[in-house]
Structure formats: structure tokens, C-alpha cells
């Protein structure tokens, strides 16, 4: 049976989650933001292990991270049409977007055990949905969805936009002023995270060979959503 997954990958603030959420809504599918799970695990690690790591001057301990994620637990819960991240039963959708989490997330996401754990949660979430009544499919967004997590996804999109435009969008999204100096700072922070995500040994940020490349610099959110929905209707028409 065809895997009913659309993979949307791309660099930071390229519009992955917004696009994935709206595409899922138009198709009547669910939306899974894999970055939210990396962020939720990072939040849990900062709150529970950071002091110990700092005191001992050590790296993040892989086994303890996974134990923590299982114990709390860190998980994805399907609410309506969206998988939401939870830590110890609390909705952490807002807390995971903070600066502290953003600063540490790429380091934790480069740990092989962390990636294996997150991938298992994602595959389970999609598998669990498959059995449910009225199941359409899942739009999953991240960095390695088309290359590693769901390499058989029939539709893969790789979103890009210039660093300047992405920085401008992120500031606007946060309700911050969009002045040139702030755009420059934000653009540097995004570029640093993209460099870390692209250069890691395991599952680096890159487009799958069969991904549709979509430069959104000059597009509106609505235009890119319409484009992806059209591609989805073609690929998933039986
Ligand atoms: O929304 P934004 O683009 O800022 O980032 P995100 O999608 O929330 O992802 C946060 C971080 O998680 C990324 O910078 C990556 O380090 C990591 N990530 C990953 O390694 N693989 C994924 N599939 C998704 C996120
Ligand atoms: O998930 P990712 O970090 O790739 O990006 P996002 O959080 O979905 O999008 C960043 C911001 O860019 C959101 O406020 C979007 O509404 C906005 N945006 C966009 O995604 N595409 C455009 N063509 C214009 C704005």
C-alpha cells in the first residue's frame, strides 16, 4: 500500500511548519512537526540534566537523555489534526520556541541515539494513524524526513528562501520589530543553526534526490500551500 506521507524539509524558518499545517488541513490529513519533538526533548534535557552536564563539564549523556524522554515522558499527542509535543503531560508548544531551546537543539539533534528515538516516535505516530477511521495521511516536516525517516514518501518537498527573507519572517512571526540590524542578527543565528544541521554526520539537512525544490522567497504562504496541495492531489489520486 502507498505510504500516505508528504515529507517537507528545508532550513530554519523556510515555512515548513506553516505550509505543512495548512496543506494537512486542506487535504484533511494530520500534521507532524518533527522539529517540535527535538525541541521538546531539548527542553526536558535543559530542565533536568543541564546542571549536571555543566558541573561535570561533560557532553550530553545519550543514555540518560533517552531514559529521561521515556520516563517523563516526552511524546507527541494527536489533538485534532496536529501532533502536539508534551513533556510530563504538559503542553509545551510555546515553551519549546524559546531562545534557550533554540540555542541547544542542534547539538542534541546531532546525537545518534536521540535521532533514533525521535524517528521511532514519528514512525509510530504515522503507523498509529493508519489504523484509524477516516485516515487520509500525515504531512511531516523537518530536516531528514524525505532522506531518512520516510524515504518512500510519494511526495517530498524541499522549501528554501534567502536567509534575509527567512530572518524577516521569523522576526515578524515573533511579533518583533523588523529593522535591518535585527534581521542581520537573526539571519546569522539561522545560518549558524543551518550550518550545524547540514554538516552533522548523521541525517544532515539536505534535499532528497527526488524532492521537489520550492524557493518561496517571492511567494506568499497561500501560493506555496496551493502549489503543494496541487502536487499532492496529483500524486495521491488513485
Ligand atoms: O522551526 P525551525 O526551523 O526553527 O526549527 P525546527 O523545525 O523546530 O527544528 C529545530 C531543530 O531540530 C533543527 O535546527 C534541527 O537541529 C533539529 N531537527 C532535526 O535535526 N531533524 C528534523 N527532522 C527536525 C528538526
Ligand atoms: O517551520 P519553519 O521553521 O520552516 O517555518 P515556519 O515557522 O512555518 O514559518 C516561518 C514564518 O514564515 C511563519 O510565520 C510563516 O507564516 C511565514 N511565511 C511563510 O512560511 N511563507 C511565506 N511565503 C511567507 C511567510
Amino acid at each position: 500500500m502507498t505510504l500516505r506521507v508528504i515529507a517537507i524539509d528545508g532550513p530554519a524558518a523556510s515555512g515548513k511548519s506553516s505550509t505543512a499545517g495548512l496543506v494537512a488541513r486542506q487535504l484533511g490529513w494530520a500534521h507532524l512537526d518533527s522539529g517540535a519533538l527535538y525541541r521538546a526533548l531539548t527542553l526536558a534535557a535543559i530542565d533536568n540534566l543541564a546542571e549536571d552536564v555543566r558541573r561535570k563539564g561533560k557532553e550530553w549523556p545519550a543514555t540518560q537523555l533517552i531514559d529521561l524522554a521515556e520516563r517523563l515522558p516526552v511524546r507527541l499527542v494527536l489533538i485534532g489534526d496536529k501532533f502536539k509535543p508534551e513533556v510530563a503531560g504538559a503542553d509545551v508548544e510555546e515553551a519549546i520556541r524559546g531562545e534557550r531551546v533554540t540555542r541547544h537543539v542542534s547539538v542534541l539533534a546531532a546525537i545518534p541515539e536521540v535521532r533514533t528515538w525521535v524517528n521511532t516516535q514519528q514512525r509510530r505516530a504515522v503507523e498509529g494513524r493508519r489504523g484509524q477511521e477516516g485516515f487520509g495521511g500525515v504531512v511531516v516536516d523537518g530536516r531528514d524526513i524525505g532522506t531518512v525517516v520516510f524515504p518512500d514518501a510519494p511526495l517530498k518537498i524541499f522549501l528554501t528562501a534567502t536567509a534575509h527573507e527567512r530572518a524577516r519572517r521569523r522576526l515578524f512571526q515573533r511579533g518583533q520589530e523588523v529593522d535591518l540590524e535585527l534581521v542581520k542578527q537573526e539571519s546569522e543565528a539561522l545560518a549558524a543553526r543551518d550550518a550545524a544541521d547540514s554538516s552533522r554526520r548523521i541525517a544532515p539537512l539536505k534535499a532528497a534526490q527526488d524532492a521537489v525544490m520550492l524557493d518561496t522567497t517571492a511567494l506568499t504562504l497561500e501560493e506555496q500551500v496551493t502549489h503543494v496541495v496541487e502536487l499532492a492531489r496529483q500524486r495521491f489520486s488513485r
Side-chain angles (χ1 to χ4, degrees), residues 12-64:
S14 55
K16 301 178 298 293
S17 299
S18 314
T19 306
L22 290 167
V23 167
R25 180 142 316 157
Q26 289 200 19
L27 295 173
W29 290 20
H31 170 212
L32 193 164
D33 169 2
S34 64
L37 201 48
Y38 284 102
R39 284 175 178 272
L41 190 131
T42 302
L43 177 70
I46 292 171
D47 287 347
N48 293 275
L49 301 173
E51 187 51 32
D52 198 37
V53 168
R54 196 185 54 77
R55 221 170 345 103
K56 296 182 184 152
K58 289 220 273 189
E59 289 182 0
W60 293 99
T63 316
Q64 269 173 267

Side-chain angles (χ1 to χ4, degrees), residues 8-17 33-39 42 96-97 101-102 104-110 115 118-119 122 140-145 149 166 170 173 186 190 193-194 196-197 200 202-205:
I8 303 187
D9 292 300
S14 55
K16 301 178 298 293
S17 299
D33 169 2
S34 64
L37 201 48
Y38 284 102
R39 284 175 178 272
T42 302
I96 60 172
R97 306 288 159 196
V101 171
T102 303
H104 286 96
V105 64
S106 290
V107 171
L108 277 98
R115 301 204 72 80
V118 169
N119 292 351
Q122 292 185 67
V140 188
D141 78 275
R143 302 291 188 290
D144 61 343
I145 310 306
V149 188
R166 290 187 282 123
R170 179 92 340 144
Q173 184 181 34
E186 184 61 26
L190 292 177
R193 191 145 56 89
D194 291 343
D197 292 340
R200 67 173 169 236
I202 299 178
L205 161 68

Side-chain angles (χ1 to χ4, degrees), residues 76-141:
L76 288 169
V77 183
L78 185 64
I79 298 175
D81 60 358
K82 184 163 169 50
F83 285 95
K84 297 235 179 185
E86 261 189 24
V87 174
D91 179 344
V92 292
E93 186 69 56
E94 279 209 14
I96 60 172
R97 306 288 159 196
E99 217 274 309
R100 230 164 35 122
V101 171
T102 303
R103 204 159 7 102
H104 286 96
V105 64
S106 290
V107 171
L108 277 98
I111 300 172
E113 289 86 345
V114 166
R115 301 204 72 80
T116 304
W117 184 84
V118 169
N119 292 351
T120 304
Q121 310 309 309
Q122 292 185 67
R123 293 186 185 119
R124 263 192 212 148
V126 169
E127 198 52 43
R129 270 292 279 167
R130 204 189 277 203
Q132 286 172 1
E133 208 180 313
F135 172 72
V138 186
V139 186
V140 188
D141 78 275

Side-chain angles (χ1 to χ4, degrees), residues 211-230:
V212 176
M213 304 297 289
L214 190 57
D215 183 342
T216 71
T217 309
L219 297 182
T220 65
L221 180 59
E222 200 188 354
E223 284 168 338
Q224 73 215 31
V225 168
T226 303
H227 186 59
V228 177
V229 168
E230 273 168 15

